[in-house]
């Protein structure tokens, strides 16, 4: 199993968390987004969208973080469950919460959009995008959260949350406005799967950014 990833890509981090939760071994292949390696002809032969993550497994190439996580959950059912197994409503709720982050927040503040917005306003834009999304997510989590985003078990939405909080800190969002999100993230960052998969722990993280 081969994962094309970038250390600070939140989408890649989601998949790294899922792989760690399920104790799946894989080879890590860094793709430097700042050097536009994702746009190279070589990489686009593997992933035409020129994005990360990209997972190559069993002769197949998978892209899009949520599709990869759901694949892992189906193929490795004996590992940590990323989606509740006992109720389709619960599964739909976890997917809904995940999409608030993966579909509504993250795409609006990813690198491709920030380049289009421009260096002078990218911080303001990223802050706005995350803040607006977190206002919605906080209200939703008030109805679903236990120790984690959905009850007391780590699910796919938690894999999405931690990277987004990391981005919120980068864009200087005041997290005191979001006590539930902050509390859940604090719990998640005590878990080995989240610590070993964090950006600072990846081989392609620049030395000056390591903690």
């Amino acid at each position: 199993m081969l994962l094309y990833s970038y250390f600070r890509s939140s989408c890649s981090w989601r998949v790294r968390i899922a792989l760690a939760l399920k104790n799946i071994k894989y080879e890590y292949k860094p793709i430097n987004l700042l050097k536009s390696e994702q746009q190279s002809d070589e990489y686009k032969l593997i992933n035409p969208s020129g994005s990360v993550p990209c997972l190559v497994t069993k002769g197949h190439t998978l892209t899009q973080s949520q599709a990869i996580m759901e694949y892992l959950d189906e193929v490795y059912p004996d590992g940590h469950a990323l989606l509740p197994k006992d109720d389709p409503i619960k599964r739909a709720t976890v997917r809904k919460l995940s999409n608030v982050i993966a579909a509504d927040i993250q795409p609006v503040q990813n690198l491709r959009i920030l380049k289009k917005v421009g260096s002078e306003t990218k911080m303001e834009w990223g802050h706005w995008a995350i803040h607006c999304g977190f206002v919605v997510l906080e209200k939703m989590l008030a109805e679903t959260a236990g120790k984690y985003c959905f009850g007391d078990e780590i699910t796919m939405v938690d894999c999405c949350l931690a990277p987004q909080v990391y981005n919120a800190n980068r864009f200087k969002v005041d997290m005191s406005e979001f006590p539930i999100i902050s509390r859940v993230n604090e719990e998640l960052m005590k878990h080995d799967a989240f610590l070993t998969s964090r950006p600072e722990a990846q081989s392609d993280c620049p030395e000056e950014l390591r903690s």
Side-chain angles (χ1 to χ4, degrees), residues 133-144 178 180-181:
F134 273 9
V135 168
V136 174
L137 184 63
E138 182 80 6
K139 292 177 181 177
M140 290 182 169
L141 294 185
E143 298 181 359
T144 66
F178 309 108
I180 301 174
I181 293 174

Side-chain angles (χ1 to χ4, degrees), residues 6-195:
Y6 177 61
F7 79 101
R8 205 155 60 180
S9 158
S10 56
C11 299
S12 298
W13 188 1
R14 297 169 195 163
V15 173
R16 296 196 303 262
I17 294 168
L19 288 164
L21 285 169
K22 288 183 172 288
N23 294 311
I24 300 172
K25 294 182 179 180
Y26 61 96
E27 180 183 351
Y28 185 96
K29 175 69 174 177
I31 297 293
N32 193 318
L33 302 186
L34 296 184
K35 293 182 179 180
S36 298
E37 290 178 357
Q38 73 278 20
Q39 299 299 330
S40 69
D41 292 340
E42 179 183 8
Y43 184 63
K44 283 200 168 182
L45 286 176
I46 301 167
N47 180 9
S49 72
S51 62
V52 291
C54 175
L55 185 73
V56 180
T57 178
K58 300 179 180 180
H60 298 283
T61 300
L62 303 175
T63 61
Q64 300 298 329
S65 61
Q66 287 186 274
I68 294 172
M69 288 190 287
E70 293 211 32
Y71 165 82
L72 294 174
D73 215 33
E74 292 180 14
V75 175
Y76 299 92
D78 295 334
H80 182 100
L82 301 176
L83 289 166
K85 296 181 178 181
D86 59 338
D87 187 335
I89 290 295
K90 291 180 181 179
R91 288 193 293 276
T93 302
V94 169
R95 290 184 176 110
K96 174 186 73 174
L97 293 168
S98 300
N99 273 314
V100 171
I101 299 170
D104 293 347
I105 302 174
Q106 190 278 329
V108 186
Q109 49 90 119
N110 68 13
L111 181 62
R112 180 167 58 100
I113 300 300
L114 293 178
K115 284 183 176 180
K116 186 68 175 178
V117 169
S119 58
E120 292 184 0
T121 57
K122 68 178 183 179
M123 286 297 295
E124 179 184 354
W125 177 269
H127 180 283
W128 170 83
I130 298 170
H131 180 271
C132 289
F134 273 9
V135 168
V136 174
L137 184 63
E138 182 80 6
K139 292 177 181 177
M140 290 182 169
L141 294 185
E143 298 181 359
T144 66
K147 185 177 181 181
Y148 303 114
C149 286
F150 188 79
D152 295 328
E153 298 294 331
I154 293 174
T155 64
M156 185 168 70
V157 62
D158 297 296
C159 297
C160 295
L161 182 75
Q164 196 58 63
V165 173
Y166 177 90
N167 282 349
N169 290 325
R170 286 180 61 208
F171 285 99
K172 303 187 185 308
V173 175
D174 181 4
M175 291 304 297
S176 66
E177 189 177 339
F178 309 108
I180 301 174
I181 293 174
S182 297
R183 175 182 59 75
V184 170
N185 185 68
E186 185 176 346
E187 287 296 328
L188 292 172
M189 295 312 296
K190 298 174 183 177
H191 197 288
D192 284 347
F194 289 78
L195 293 173

